[in-house]
Amino acid sequence: QVQLVESGGGLVQAGGSLRLSCALSGYTIAIDAMGWYRQAPGKQRELVATITSGGSPDYADSVAGRFTISRDNARSTVYLQMNSLKPEDTATYYCNAAVRQSYSEINYRAYWGQGTQVTVSS
């Protein structure tokens, strides 16, 4: 089965940096877009950044200029480099990927990781 596992979260002071990783395991024949989302308590899950299979990124306005999404297709891994962190970045961060697992599948399906906690202190 396809599984996504995030790592790299933790506690950091405002202005600091963290690098999140999300590794996909399980057999796939194709991975399309990958992305990062986050959810703070009492708030909706929001998109942070996405990256196409070809490496084209998009960012939420709230993180543009501070975060960088990248991927290593050979390792089926997506990264989120987070710089200049702010307390409002505190959230559980989830990665996702659109995956095609077999040639019998005609559509990509979205898979989600368990999440990794990022806490930014003042």
Side-chain angles (χ1 to χ4, degrees), residues 41-91:
K43 303 185 74 174
Q44 293 181 317
R45 184 174 296 188
E46 64 176 350
L47 182 139
V48 176
T50 60
I51 186 166
T52 69
S53 61
S56 181
D58 281 301
Y59 301 95
D61 290 342
S62 59
V63 307
R66 299 188 297 119
F67 291 9
T68 302
I69 188 170
S70 61
R71 64 191 288 169
D72 183 342
N73 289 334
R75 302 183 68 179
S76 300
T77 301
V78 62
Y79 305 93
L80 187 68
Q81 178 66 47
M82 305 185 295
N83 298 326
S84 302
L85 283 162
K86 304 175 181 179
E88 50 263 46
D89 295 319
T90 295

Side-chain angles (χ1 to χ4, degrees), residues 2-9 18-26 28 31-37 45 49-51 68-82 92-99 110-118:
V2 171
Q3 186 176 25
L4 296 171
V5 179
E6 302 97 335
S7 62
L18 285 172
R19 181 172 176 258
L20 305 183
S21 299
C22 175
L24 184 151
S25 62
T28 66
I31 304 172
D32 195 28
M34 304 182 82
W36 289 94
Y37 294 72
R45 184 174 296 188
T50 60
I51 186 166
T68 302
I69 188 170
S70 61
R71 64 191 288 169
D72 183 342
N73 289 334
R75 302 183 68 179
S76 300
T77 301
V78 62
Y79 305 93
L80 187 68
Q81 178 66 47
M82 305 185 295
T92 301
Y93 284 70
Y94 300 88
C95 68
N96 88 312
V99 176
Y111 290 84
W112 292 86
Q114 187 177 6
T116 186
Q117 180 66 35
V118 172

Side-chain angles (χ1 to χ4, degrees), residues 10-18 82-87 119-122:
L11 175 65
V12 65
Q13 289 192 256
S17 298
L18 285 172
M82 305 185 295
N83 298 326
S84 302
L85 283 162
K86 304 175 181 179
T119 302
V120 184
S121 63
S122 301

